Amino acid sequence: VTGPSSLTGGTVTSPDIRAGIALVIAALCARGETQILNAESVDRGYVRVEESFKHLGALIERKSK
């Protein structure tokens, strides 16, 4: 991903499925750690999404409430 500035990790909230997966992808491109609140919304449209990304080398961790 290229652009005028780098993406930096932070805390974001997923409002729905599509935005949630976009946040996951953006977080994987960002420098630093990103926490996605309401990430369960992604589960409604993507089964075991973190496993798929882990197979590609992503470092994804779910934290229990």
Side-chain angles (χ1 to χ4, degrees), residues 6-12 23 26-36:
S6 299
L7 296 176
T8 305
T11 300
V12 294
L23 289 171
L28 291 171
C29 296
R31 292 187 178 158
E33 186 174 304
T34 300
Q35 179 179 14
I36 302 174

Side-chain angles (χ1 to χ4, degrees), residues 13-23 37-44 46:
T13 302
S14 171
D16 59 43
I17 296 168
R18 289 177 289 190
I21 197 67
L23 289 171
L37 306 176
N38 194 31
E40 305 84 33
S41 65
V42 175
D43 294 334
R44 291 193 295 263
Y46 299 91

Side-chain angles (χ1 to χ4, degrees), residues 42-59:
V42 175
D43 294 334
R44 291 193 295 263
Y46 299 91
V47 178
R48 296 187 306 269
V49 68
E50 69 276 8
E51 290 179 26
S52 298
F53 282 118
K54 282 182 181 180
H55 287 291
L56 297 173
L59 299 173

